[in-house]
Amino acid sequence: MKAPLSRLFDPKSIAIVGASSAPEKPGYQMVKAFGKFPGRIYPVNPRGGEILGLNVHRSLAEIPEPVDLIAMVVPPQASADVLREAAACGVGAAFMVSGGFSETGDDGHKRQAEILKICRDGGIRLLGPNTSGFMRPSGKLFCTFLPGAADLKKGNIGIVAQSGGINITMAFLAHELGLGISLSVGIGNGADVGVADAIEYLADDKDTDVIALHLEGVANGRTLFETIRRTVTKKPVVVLPVGKADLGGFAESHTGNLMGSFDLTCAGLRQAGAVVVETTTALIDAAHALSNGRLPASADPGIGILTGQAGAGLLMTDKLRSAGISVPEIGPDTISRITGMLPPLTYLKNPVDTGRPLESFGEVCRTLSEDPVVDALLVYALYESDSVDFADAVGAAAAHSGKPSVFGTMGRKRDIDPIKKALKKQRVTVVASPDRAAGAIQALAEDARARHHAGTAVSSEPPATEMPVLPDTTDEATAKDFIGAWGITSPARFVCASHEEAQSGRRKIKGDVVVKVLDPRIAHKTEAGGVHVGVGSAKQMAAALSRIDAIKSCTRKKRYLVEAMAAAGLEVIVGARNDTSWGPVVLLGLGGVAAEALGDATMRLAPLSTADAIEMIDGLQASALFNSFRGAPARDKAALANVIVTVGNIIVDTSGVREIDLNPVRVYADGDGAIALDALIVR
């Protein structure tokens, strides 16, 4: 079991190994960085002497106590020897700024593996290597040699960044916006202390109310998923993932081709309950809003918008509705009350447009906040004059309603700063532009929806009954038999070893049939010329079988699958994959040729609930096709949801399965079910 991180992030004593008396060297700057630290500081250098008034010890063994933390400012080649000595001296934690480890290739990987073993054997928690360090203003602890870090304000936002540069950037961006941090940490290579470890620490940190995470890659997505899922029950998590252009490519199935790594990361993060954003500014704005308080868990929280300028109101409404956030029409009583406060020709239903900030602005704001469909309040108004006290207007409405509020405004710094200061005391989030204001309140709504959805999550308990056994070798027929044992319907069929058997199978099936090549080595049968539909006569059957026999990729005697033709319906892909990082994942995609061309797919980690599955259906860009689109019947979402949930259960509960690909699944009118027309299982 790993040791806790208290000796790393809350040390009482620190040694700087590689300390230097030369001001131009990092070893000097690191000693200087600890100038405000109230605990005990021990510079270490074999030459001894004095640095910044501190006595220099020649080795860790000379220090009269087992220090909590060592800051290592040494070349990578010397790191193993330093850590061996640290382990022998009872050091609790270390952070290593130098590079030259796993990020540099095979030799670096070996060096990193060596230091990790030393740390684990010696009970040392290691931050880094290749890290910018960390800052904890409440403890006057600035473990970085970056100038100005010691000026950072203490606050309630915890920052975790895989990139050292982004760690520093986020901390200073928060500082510039007048916000404070509880802890800001750069993970670097994450040899020992990883992203999940830092989140777990901050989840129980009394100084942290919200966690802002920058994520470049996920080595163990399932661990991160479980950590975030536990954390969001206590405090919100906002994530900026990187890698939108990185698409996964798995040649064996449509599922693999559609399952891009970035999309999977975002899906896993959202399913865990995190709020996902796209920019550093959005990350800080979301963390800012959530640090001032959360909305109660809700399936669809409503946002009330009040604007002093119509253009800003349109921009905010458009951004929220485009993101699926509810901006509901307010009630007639509220509209009637507001009508008497504003001049004619203003829009009142939500957003409420005052035309420009008037003396009644505060009363309108309070009235809007009282409407029962409004769960959070978004206000935007440019500063025009002292005629409207925005701090009083917005602050009073927020205090009266008890509802989270975001205020966006622009103007001269000398006019805006007092408003920010006053509203900060009332825990109202203040940002500059309309789009940033909308983004901040969107984070509140998404956090509330995620916590509501968490109530429908399912656990990955082992199955209570004996599961069907997967054959050692799977072709389409055995794959369909297997999923059929789980309750997924597929067409009536015959497996045939000869032309005579195929003709006999055709005669036994009423109506036209489909004839397919049956060979576990052929994943893409259509491309190989191994699928023939609409076969209704002996002559057509003979022609189809001859074409299948001509497929050169088969090296053994052919077998044939003769199936009943299924009725027309809406086609989708349902697939699953055991991802190396995230574990079992289920995918739903638009069916047919357009699937990979358009990339219309949604993903969830398995196991899933029915609510998860319905959410996946509604999350497709083509979701309108399930809802009586242009006269077509509404589709059987419940039946498709059952297929999605079942595929998730199969990938979780069946050992040895890498991928499942049901393509297509044909979905019929509401109440008429769904049927898997093809099935591929990759062991």
Side-chain angles (χ1 to χ4, degrees):
M1 185 175 177
K2 292 182 178 179
L5 296 179
S6 54
R7 294 183 77 183
L8 173 63
F9 293 135
D10 191 24
K12 303 298 184 290
S13 56
I14 300 173
I16 302 94
V17 182
S20 173
S21 58
E24 71 277 6
K25 291 189 175 181
Y28 177 90
Q29 295 299 328
M30 186 61 77
V31 177
K32 187 177 180 181
F34 292 117
K36 294 184 178 181
F37 179 62
R40 299 174 294 283
I41 301 294
Y42 301 104
V44 177
N45 188 298
R47 295 189 180 92
E50 185 179 286
I51 302 173
L52 294 172
L54 296 169
N55 184 46
V56 178
H57 295 263
R58 298 181 185 276
S59 67
L60 288 170
E62 280 192 6
I63 298 174
E65 64 171 318
V67 294
D68 289 324
L69 173 64
I70 60 170
M72 296 174 61
V73 194
V74 298
Q77 297 83 356
S79 57
D81 289 339
V82 170
L83 288 169
R84 286 191 189 95
E85 184 185 11
C89 293
V91 169
F95 82 93
M96 189 182 301
V97 298
S98 62
F101 293 88
S102 64
E103 79 281 5
T104 62
D106 290 344
D107 289 343
H109 272 288
K110 292 175 183 176
R111 190 177 294 123
Q112 184 162 306
E114 181 185 16
I115 64 170
L116 180 58
K117 185 178 188 308
I118 295 168
C119 288
R120 288 187 172 164
D121 290 347
I124 297 172
R125 298 309 308 268
L126 174 66
L127 179 63
N130 195 27
T131 174
S132 61
F134 67 95
M135 293 84 75
R136 191 175 183 89
S138 62
K140 298 181 180 179
L141 182 58
F142 302 96
C143 296
T144 177
F145 44 77
L146 192 79
D151 296 329
L152 293 171
K153 300 183 182 73
K154 67 178 180 179
N156 61 352
I157 298 176
I159 297 171
V160 181
Q162 284 185 312
S163 160
I166 297 298
N167 169 39
I168 302 297
T169 298
M170 296 301 300
F172 276 92
L173 181 56
H175 181 81
E176 284 185 7
L177 294 173
L179 309 174
I181 58 172
S182 57
L183 174 70
S184 184
V185 54
I187 297 299
N189 289 10
D192 172 39
V193 177
V195 169
D197 297 293
I199 292 172
E200 200 157 13
Y201 175 84
L202 289 171
D204 295 322
D205 179 45
K206 62 180 178 57
D207 295 329
T208 302
D209 291 331
V210 61
I211 300 168
L213 170 62
H214 160 264
L215 200 61
E216 288 181 340
V218 186
N220 193 330
R222 186 61 67 150
T223 297
L224 181 62
F225 171 81
E226 298 293 351
T227 302
I228 291 176
R229 189 162 66 169
R230 290 191 301 269
T231 299
V232 295
T233 63
K234 305 175 185 179
K235 55 192 68 171
V237 178
V238 189
V239 189
L240 169 61
V242 181
K244 195 169 187 178
D246 177 24
L247 299 177
F250 309 108
E252 289 180 286
S253 76
H254 295 281
T255 297
N257 285 326
L258 283 167
M259 200 175 284
S261 59
F262 179 78
D263 294 332
L264 175 54
T265 295
C266 291
L269 292 169
R270 289 191 174 102
Q271 190 178 346
V275 175
V276 178
V277 299
E278 295 186 350
T279 67
T280 53
T281 302
L283 181 61
I284 284 297
D285 286 342
H288 183 189
L290 287 161
S291 73
N292 283 324
R294 307 171 87 176
L295 275 166
S298 171
D300 192 25
I303 308 302
I305 300 177
L306 173 62
T307 179
Q309 290 80 29
L314 286 170
L315 194 155
M316 294 186 298
T317 304
D318 182 56
K319 180 176 174 67
L320 290 175
R321 286 183 172 158
S322 296
I325 305 300
S326 176
V327 183
E329 187 172 310
I330 55 178
D333 290 344
T334 304
I335 293 174
S336 177
R337 290 167 61 195
I338 292 176
T339 299
M341 305 174 194
L342 296 175
L345 304 180
T346 54
Y347 190 83
L348 303 177
K349 293 182 179 180
N350 194 20
V352 175
D353 174 22
T354 66
R356 54 178 302 216
L358 304 172
E359 291 182 2
S360 60
F361 198 83
E363 191 176 356
V364 174
C365 189
R366 177 168 174 161
T367 303
L368 176 61
S369 73
E370 292 172 345
D371 192 284
V373 302
V374 173
D375 297 300
L377 191 63
L378 174 58
V379 184
Y380 190 88
L382 296 171
Y383 183 89
E384 295 186 14
S385 69
D386 292 333
S387 61
V388 177
D389 186 340
F390 288 131
D392 181 63
V394 181
H400 172 73
S401 67
K403 298 174 180 179
S405 301
V406 173
F407 178 51
T409 187
M410 288 287 280
R412 295 177 301 185
K413 190 175 186 299
R414 71 184 188 213
D415 296 322
I416 299 300
D417 280 355
I419 298 172
K420 288 182 178 180
K421 187 175 181 180
L423 288 176
K424 184 177 181 180
K425 293 178 180 177
Q426 300 183 68
R427 298 181 76 84
V428 172
T429 303
V430 182
V431 295
S433 65
D435 56 319
R436 286 178 59 188
I441 211 156
Q442 178 182 334
L444 290 170
E446 290 182 352
D447 173 68
R449 291 198 305 200
R451 281 180 288 121
H452 172 81
H453 182 76
T456 68
V458 295
S459 63
S460 55
E461 296 294 326
T465 59
E466 187 175 344
M467 294 295 103
V469 177
L470 182 68
D472 291 336
T473 302
T474 56
D475 54 27
E476 182 180 345
T478 55
K480 283 178 173 174
D481 290 342
F482 180 71
I483 65 173
W486 283 81
I488 297 176
T489 302
S490 57
R493 60 192 169 271
F494 293 97
V495 175
C496 308
S498 67
H499 286 209
E500 291 75 16
E501 288 183 9
Q503 292 284 11
S504 175
R506 177 191 63 79
R507 290 190 295 270
K508 292 176 182 177
I509 295 174
K510 186 178 179 180
D512 290 351
V513 299
V514 181
V515 187
K516 304 179 184 179
V517 64
L518 200 55
D519 189 322
R521 293 166 298 176
I522 302 177
H524 300 293
K525 296 182 291 292
T526 300
E527 289 86 337
V531 178
H532 301 273
V533 301
V535 176
S537 67
K539 184 177 179 180
Q540 290 173 330
M541 175 63 78
L545 295 173
S546 294
R547 290 175 187 169
I548 290 174
D549 289 344
I551 299 174
K552 296 185 183 300
S553 57
C554 291
T555 57
R556 65 183 183 184
K557 186 175 175 63
K558 301 292 187 297
R559 291 191 307 147
Y560 315 98
L561 185 65
V562 179
E563 283 190 331
M565 283 275 289
L570 177 62
E571 293 188 351
V572 297
I573 297 169
V574 179
R577 178 178 174 84
N578 253 315
D579 185 77
T580 54
S581 176
W582 293 93
V585 184
V586 178
L587 174 140
L588 172 68
L590 185 65
V593 177
E596 290 173 36
L598 300 178
D600 188 6
T602 55
M603 284 166 270
R604 294 292 185 278
L605 305 192
L608 298 88
S609 66
T610 299
D612 285 319
I614 294 295
E615 203 173 73
M616 290 176 72
I617 298 169
D618 292 340
L620 290 172
Q621 297 172 36
S623 61
L625 297 177
F626 291 87
N627 303 315
S628 303
F629 183 73
R630 293 196 174 182
R635 301 295 168 173
D636 198 334
K637 285 187 181 181
L640 177 57
N642 182 63
V643 173
I644 295 168
V645 170
T646 302
V647 167
N649 291 338
I650 293 173
I651 197 77
V652 168
D653 295 330
T654 307
S655 62
V657 175
R658 190 174 75 193
E659 287 188 46
I660 301 170
D661 194 52
L662 308 186
N663 180 31
V665 172
R666 194 165 283 175
V667 188
Y668 297 116
D670 195 12
D672 290 342
I675 186 170
L677 301 189
D678 198 358
L680 170 70
I681 296 177
V682 182
R683 296 189 67 93

